[in-house]
Amino acid sequence: MPNYPVGATATTFEIIDSLATLERAGVTQLANRLGRSKGSVHNHLATLERLGYVINEDGRYRLGLRFLELGTGVRDTDSLYRVARPEIDRLADASGETASLVIEENGDAVFVYRAGDDAGFALQDGSRVPLHACAAGKAILAHRPPESLDSLLDGDTPTPTDRTITSRASLIRELRTVRDHGLAFDRGELDPDRRAVGAAILTDDGRAVGAVTVSGTAPGMSGKRLEEDMPGLVLGATNRITAEHQTRE
């Protein structure tokens, strides 16, 4: 167990994370899951309930919509999101697939905004995935110096599918290609049944602040559609977002 500066705060967020996974849970279930006393868990839940972050439904707790208020409030203040959202909407319409704005946060690729029909796929606004396992993440990583990748592929590196890159040398080679061509592809590395194309949103000094991606099912995203049609649409949207974002910075 990590030694956090404020253990009580860590416990509160362990409970929040568990409720996000379980959706609803009682005190005993949470205490057993976290290895905490029922009294401690109950006190944390009672505090969260009074603050409006947790809802008690006959002894089973769930997260409240105050988290939605916080999350959307944070997102709405982000200048890149405000610039990119209209373009992501247009990209989803033009491609007939799912378009997303992705940023890096704490070593993850975070899907900030998604538009389009994506029935049956688990990702949603706020989802986090490994940077090296998705097109948008690889587009961002391609604009980092190679030495910054040293800790990316270690013994605990997630491998969502058997196509996910697990070798540092292989990743560096692919990222070199991504940087040269300005495009990254995901051919079943995040989900075996999906494909994606991504491109980085750059500052005027070449730093990646995010990425644009289009994703869809493997049958619909193959051949010329994957290799030529989608890249053109993604690059067009990315270039427009990049240009407008640079003028506002």
Side-chain angles (χ1 to χ4, degrees), residues 151-168:
S151 62
L152 186 64
L153 297 177
D154 57 25
D156 297 322
T157 301
T159 53
T161 77
D162 59 6
R163 296 187 178 186
T164 307
I165 297 174
T166 57
S167 160
R168 183 179 182 276

Side-chain angles (χ1 to χ4, degrees), residues 58-119:
D58 298 324
R60 288 174 61 79
Y61 293 84
R62 65 171 176 83
L63 298 181
L65 292 177
R66 285 210 66 184
F67 286 102
L68 177 63
E69 178 185 351
L70 287 177
T72 55
V74 170
R75 185 177 67 176
D76 288 348
T77 64
D78 184 86
S79 62
L80 180 59
Y81 165 74
R82 294 198 302 269
V83 168
R85 178 168 179 162
E87 285 293 343
I88 297 296
D89 287 338
R90 285 190 282 271
L91 180 58
D93 289 341
S95 66
E97 303 289 354
T98 300
S100 303
L101 170 67
V102 178
I103 66 166
E104 177 191 357
E105 186 178 80
N106 294 330
D108 293 324
V110 182
F111 285 76
V112 175
Y113 180 66
R114 307 178 75 244
D117 183 13
D118 211 21

Side-chain angles (χ1 to χ4, degrees), residues 55-233:
I55 308 299
N56 182 352
E57 297 175 333
D58 298 324
R60 288 174 61 79
Y61 293 84
R62 65 171 176 83
L63 298 181
L65 292 177
R66 285 210 66 184
F67 286 102
L68 177 63
E69 178 185 351
L70 287 177
T72 55
V74 170
R75 185 177 67 176
D76 288 348
T77 64
D78 184 86
S79 62
L80 180 59
Y81 165 74
R82 294 198 302 269
V83 168
R85 178 168 179 162
E87 285 293 343
I88 297 296
D89 287 338
R90 285 190 282 271
L91 180 58
D93 289 341
S95 66
E97 303 289 354
T98 300
S100 303
L101 170 67
V102 178
I103 66 166
E104 177 191 357
E105 186 178 80
N106 294 330
D108 293 324
V110 182
F111 285 76
V112 175
Y113 180 66
R114 307 178 75 244
D117 183 13
D118 211 21
F121 192 46
L123 291 180
Q124 56 188 341
D125 289 3
S127 289
R128 294 172 175 265
V129 303
L131 282 164
H132 67 285
C134 65
K138 288 189 287 185
I140 292 169
L141 287 173
H143 295 274
R144 280 189 182 179
E147 58 269 20
S148 71
L149 305 175
D150 286 344
S151 62
L152 186 64
L153 297 177
D154 57 25
D156 297 322
T157 301
T159 53
T161 77
D162 59 6
R163 296 187 178 186
T164 307
I165 297 174
T166 57
S167 160
R168 183 179 182 276
S170 297
L171 179 61
I172 289 175
R173 283 196 300 272
E174 176 152 354
L175 294 180
R176 189 177 299 120
T177 300
V178 171
R179 187 178 181 111
D180 289 345
H181 293 87
L183 286 165
F185 291 87
D186 166 10
R187 296 180 173 89
E189 295 154 62
L190 183 62
D191 182 299
D193 299 320
R194 295 185 70 84
R195 305 291 182 265
V197 183
I201 302 165
L202 303 176
T203 61
D204 55 8
D205 60 357
R207 179 173 54 90
V209 292
V212 172
T213 184
V214 165
S215 65
T217 60
M221 292 273 287
S222 62
K224 178 177 178 292
R225 184 167 167 78
L226 175 66
E227 304 293 338
E228 299 178 24
D229 298 344
M230 292 300 133
L233 292 174

